[in-house]
Amino acid sequence: TSNFAQKAVSAVEERNVRAAMEFLAGDALQGRGSGTPFERIAAEYLASQMRQFGLEAAGDAGKSFVQTVNITRNSFAAAPKLSYT
C-alpha cells in the first residue's frame, strides 16, 4: 500500500466516522435536499474532510471539492387536485 493509504487507514477511527455520519444524517441538515443551503453545508463539510486527508480537488476545473451545477425546479401554478373518473 502507498504511504497515503497507510496514513488514511491509520487516521480512520470509528468515533470519527460515527461523528461525521451523525452530523450528515442529523436533523440539523434537514434532509440535505438538492439545491438547498443544507446540501451546500454537507458538501462543504465533506470537502473539508477531503482537504484534511490531502486529496486533490476535482470540482470546478480542479479549484474546489464541490462541483457547481445549475438546477431547474418546477412548481405547480395552483395546488394539485385529485379527481376520479
Side-chain angles (χ1 to χ4, degrees):
T1 57
S2 70
N3 189 26
F4 173 76
Q6 289 173 341
K7 285 183 184 179
V9 169
S10 67
V12 174
E13 294 185 21
E14 180 186 351
R15 67 178 185 214
N16 296 338
V17 173
R18 188 173 300 281
M21 295 306 297
E22 286 173 358
F23 172 71
L24 291 169
D27 292 341
L29 293 185
Q30 299 184 19
R32 303 166 320 279
S34 296
T36 66
F38 302 105
E39 178 192 42
R40 183 64 186 220
I41 291 168
E44 293 295 342
Y45 172 78
L46 292 171
S48 72
Q49 298 301 301
M50 290 181 217
R51 271 187 216 92
Q52 181 179 348
F53 282 111
L55 300 176
E56 290 184 31
D60 289 338
K63 298 177 185 174
S64 172
F65 285 96
V66 180
Q67 180 71 39
T68 302
V69 296
N70 293 320
I71 296 177
T72 302
R73 289 184 180 223
N74 296 320
S75 60
F76 293 104
K81 296 180 183 178
L82 295 175
S83 63
Y84 298 94
T85 55

